[in-house]
Amino acid sequence: MENKKTKFFDRMKSNEYYIKWLKNPFTYVTAAVLLSLFQIVTLAVSKNPWGVSGAFAVWGAWIFEAVGGSVDKWYYFASPGAQATLNGGLLNHPDSWRNFGIIAGALAATLLASGFKLKKIKSFKQVAAAVIGGLMMGYGARLAFGCNIGALYGGIASLSLSGWVFAVGMFLGAIVGSKLLVKFFM
Amino acid sequence: MAEQTTSRRSSASRKPKKNQIPYGFLTVAGIVGIALLLNMNSSNVAFFWLTGAAFGFILQKGRFCFTASMRDPYLTGSTSVTRAVIVAFAITTIGFTAIKYGYANAGLAVPGMSYVAPISFATLIGAFIFGVGMVIAGGCASGTLMRVGEGFVMNTIAFFFFMMGSLWGAHDFGWWKEHVISKGSSVFLPDIFGWMGAVVLQLGVLLILYVVAEQYEKKRSGSH
Amino acid sequence: MKEVMLDCYGEACPIPLVKAQNSIKELEVGDMLIVQIDHSCAMKNVPEWARKEGYNVEVEEVDDGEWEVIIEKTK
């Protein structure tokens, strides 16, 4: 039984549709069209564009509260809406589940292509890069009302000038980041 | 494609490959199962979970990377990801505006207006800091999540510190709001140019950027 | 004609591509550069760059999530 199953999945590896849709990467433009489709679906159904990093601040607040801190006095979390989100818990926070979904979807895509590998840390430089880069992304996203998804993609597609201003700042930041990366983290 | 290539090097050194496809189907089944469970509590949460999985799947299959779209033109001279991002912006603009226009025409509140954010110096500074961070950390917000799913320990660390940075930013947000953000205002392009004008203008700008990106790449690859 | 191995296992984008761009400059026409990668994005952008430069490129999946991009410097 088990043997038959493995044979089925081994045969699948040479199936032309498997290779086309699950094994080989999509072109960048195919992905662009599909992402656009789901962005439009997201706005149509949930009445808001796709956002990612807003939930990270909520998770940060939950972690902070779990270790004994309180964010209730912070302007960012002071509004009734933000308080309701914080008190509502994970199960009632749709944005959290969309982020979990991204992780799960990417995992599924990698496994279906039989390309999963745990990529361990290679050097201390990578840890430093992840810590510094992660902190910068988090802080920057709060100042600019979102990340590359909410503020940039969602902003521009919403015909908001803020999306374009974000694009300019992010592009300049990427140039400086590239110089730093080559100099210190390579 | 990769399977057909023959290597000059001995294939004897290769380890036997494990077949991960069954685990892939198990993951898909798990995604569906969790959606059914979430649906018992809230169909909205289940919808977010499923669209998230779709976004993750597409991002990974397309290796779609917003970081690369901003970084590669300078660093490696390639603009293929940049051009794909421009295509995504153009298509989504059309779809979004259709939905918004429909609401506006029916006299209803236009959805998604909270994403029309106020523009101030904080937008530029925040985006700049974000841009530096994403190149160093090897992934933006969506890219970091996608690479957590792909098994990158580095991005998992970046993800944790992304949360901590968000907390820090939320802590300082009151100051920024009072001193910087409150001095700016939001600009919704249809308010200035009308619905049609705003869409035509934006698609025109995207078209120009696309051509510039392609010409730039040609120039860079011919220059050495 | 020599063969140069470039070990980029564990390196995140765009480091494999930048390293490949740097090391191919050191090679003579006819030499081979073999870039070992396990970053799924690099598996797309390294061959794309090399093809655009007009080199001969082969991608071989050596293990789950591990690839070797074999580039022949043809000019």
Side-chain angles (χ1 to χ4, degrees), chain B residues 183-198:
Chain B
K183 297 191 169 57
S185 56
S186 57
V187 177
F188 184 51
L189 295 174
D191 290 341
I192 305 173
F193 304 104
W195 288 97
M196 202 63 200

Side-chain angles (χ1 to χ4, degrees), chain A residues 9-10 22 25-26 28 32 36 39 47 59 101 111 114-116 119 134 137 139 148 153 156 158-159 161-162 164 169, chain B residues 19-20 27 52-53 61-62 66 84 88 92 96 103 112 117 128-129 139-141 151 153 159 162 172 176 187-189 202:
Chain A
F9 287 117
D10 281 337
L22 294 177
F26 293 168
Y28 294 128
S36 302
Q39 263 279 27
K47 298 206 165 64
W59 296 351
L111 286 171
S114 202
F116 185 85
K119 275 136 292 204
M137 280 195 283
Y139 195 89
N148 59 302
Y153 190 3
I156 288 181
S158 298
L159 295 171
L161 193 60
S162 62
W164 288 100
Chain B
N19 190 332
Q20 298 175 341
T27 310
K61 286 259 47 125
F66 287 86
T92 311
F96 272 22
Y103 274 85
F128 180 84
I129 298 174
C140 53
V153 176
F159 168 58
F162 198 143
D172 292 356
W176 284 95
V187 177
F188 184 51
L189 295 174
Q202 178 151 309

Side-chain angles (χ1 to χ4, degrees), chain A residues 53-54 56-62 64 70-78 82 86 135 137-144, chain B residues 162-177 181:
Chain A
S53 63
F56 292 175
V58 175
W59 296 351
W62 280 333
F64 189 54
S70 167
V71 297
D72 295 346
K73 297 251 158 42
W74 298 9
Y75 178 84
Y76 185 84
F77 292 111
L86 284 179
L135 283 175
M137 280 195 283
Y139 195 89
R142 283 313 94 217
L143 293 198
Chain B
F162 198 143
M163 284 193 288
M164 294 300 109
S166 303
L167 189 66
W168 185 6
H171 175 266
D172 292 356
F173 187 75
W175 185 89
W176 284 95
K177 173 88 185 171
I181 297 167

